[in-house]
């Protein structure tokens, strides 16, 4: 008797997460629920140490993402890019994830509209869709046009209904969601000027930031 396996549906949300905030978390949860994903991997990116601005270490960024994901069963933290001592290309990360998956599993690369518009500057970006589908988190009131370099790709690969994405890779869909006007840049600025970031990050992340004195202007 053969047992039929249901292909897994895995989302990947990469970012510097410096720090992780409610925009990332709501985005991941809303996409996961809308598409019935089995999990979303939060993948903190390696970033070379930067001395001028009060940014945090890879270790702190990872710790905060772990705290944020702890109570959200759909969210998993994947530290593979931090385990190397240099920046990883997303293409390499997708290839390495694929090696751990079955051929018919579906992999969804999740990104905000801003990140999507920057895609043409990514390493071998035209190969990304060989390994995954791309889900773009788009705000309902957005009126931005895709950059010229992406128009042909969108014309060929865009699927109107994200639930209709078929196969293990190769298509692009937009997931519409209410925008949360929060960014890590704004959170760092608030903290550097001594303002509260309560409700912009999970309480456990805020406690970590305070306990480790992160993002203070003197760091
Ligand atoms: P920074 O302000 O430091 O550039 P950020 O807040 O944009 O950081 P990143 O870690 O660079 O966060 O973003 C990771 C991913 O999350 C990107 O795909 C980005 O488009 C998306 N993202 C960032 N902020 C939001 C938000 N408020 N709502 C939905 N998605 C977001």
């Amino acid at each position: 008797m053969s047992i039929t396996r249901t292909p897994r549906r895995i989302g990947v949300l990469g970012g510097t997460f410096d720090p992780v905030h409610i925009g990332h978390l709501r985005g991941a949860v809303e996409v996961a629920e809308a598409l019935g994903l089995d999990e979303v991997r939060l993948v903190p990116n390696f970033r070379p140490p930067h001395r001028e601005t009060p940014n945090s270490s890879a270790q702190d960024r990872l710790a905060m993402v772990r705290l944020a994901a702890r109570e959200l069963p759909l969210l998993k933290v994947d530290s593979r890019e931090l385990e190397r001592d240099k920046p990883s290309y997303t293409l390499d990360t997708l290839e390495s994830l694929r090696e751990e998956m079955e051929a018919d599993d579906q992999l969804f690369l999740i990104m905000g509209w801003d990140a999507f518009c920057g895609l043409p500057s990514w390493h071998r970006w035209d190969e990304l869709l060989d390994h995954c589908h791309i889900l773009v988190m788009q705000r309902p009131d957005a009126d931005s046009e895709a950059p010229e370099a992406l128009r042909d790709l969108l014309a060929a690969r865009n699927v109107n209904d994200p639930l209709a994405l078929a196969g293990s890779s190769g298509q692009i869909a937009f997931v519409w969601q209410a925008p949360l006007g929060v960014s890590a840049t704004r959170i760092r600025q608030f903290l550097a000027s001594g303002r509260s970031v309560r409700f912009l990050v999970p309480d456990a992340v805020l406690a970590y930031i305070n306990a480790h004195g992160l993002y203070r202007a003197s760091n």
Side-chain angles (χ1 to χ4, degrees):
M1 193 176 77
S2 71
I3 300 170
T4 317
R5 200 189 70 92
T6 310
R8 286 188 303 157
R9 291 161 67 75
I10 313 257
V12 175
L13 176 63
T16 45
F17 301 126
D18 190 19
V20 64
H21 56 67
I22 57 166
H24 303 131
L25 299 168
R26 279 304 312 167
V29 168
E30 286 190 30
V31 168
E33 288 185 340
L35 274 91
L37 301 186
D38 295 306
E39 64 183 63
V40 174
R41 303 269 184 107
L42 301 176
V43 185
N45 302 149
F46 179 86
R47 197 206 44 219
H50 199 290
R51 279 189 236 143
E52 287 144 41
T53 50
N55 292 347
S56 58
S57 66
Q59 189 195 1
D60 286 331
R61 291 186 291 120
L62 178 60
M64 290 187 281
V65 175
R66 286 200 167 125
L67 287 168
R70 204 170 47 183
E71 285 165 24
L72 297 163
L74 281 173
L75 305 191
K76 308 279 182 240
V77 182
D78 190 316
S79 61
R80 76 186 63 214
E81 292 194 5
L82 300 182
E83 281 150 19
R84 307 177 69 212
D85 208 20
K86 55 179 184 174
S88 306
Y89 294 118
T90 299
L91 189 68
D92 297 334
T93 300
L94 294 172
E95 278 174 355
S96 123
L97 284 163
R98 270 282 167 214
E99 280 167 18
E100 297 164 11
M101 298 169 68
E102 301 291 332
D104 58 353
D105 285 338
Q106 291 185 297
L107 193 54
F108 300 89
L109 182 63
I110 303 166
M111 59 181 79
W113 169 252
D114 55 335
F116 178 69
C117 289
L119 207 64
S121 66
W122 292 21
H123 176 67
R124 289 161 58 191
W125 65 278
D126 49 346
E127 292 173 45
L128 294 170
L129 286 170
D130 294 344
H131 305 284
C132 63
H133 294 300
I134 293 180
L135 288 175
V136 185
M137 296 184 283
Q138 181 63 295
R139 25 192 308 167
D141 58 344
D143 55 0
S144 3
E145 287 251 328
E148 182 72 38
L150 289 173
R151 300 225 180 109
D152 288 348
L153 183 80
L154 276 172
R157 307 296 191 104
N158 190 15
V159 171
N160 281 335
D161 177 4
L163 289 171
L165 289 173
S168 57
S169 61
Q171 297 174 320
I172 302 171
F174 289 80
V175 184
W176 303 91
Q177 55 186 223
L180 287 173
V182 51
S183 71
T185 303
R186 194 148 156 251
I187 289 171
R188 293 193 300 272
Q189 286 166 349
F190 275 24
L191 288 162
S193 59
R195 293 170 69 182
S196 168
V197 297
R198 185 110 201 262
F199 308 121
L200 297 178
V201 298
D203 286 346
V205 171
L206 182 55
Y208 187 97
I209 289 171
N210 289 336
H212 294 79
L214 303 184
Y215 307 112
R216 291 189 190 144
S218 56
N219 278 357

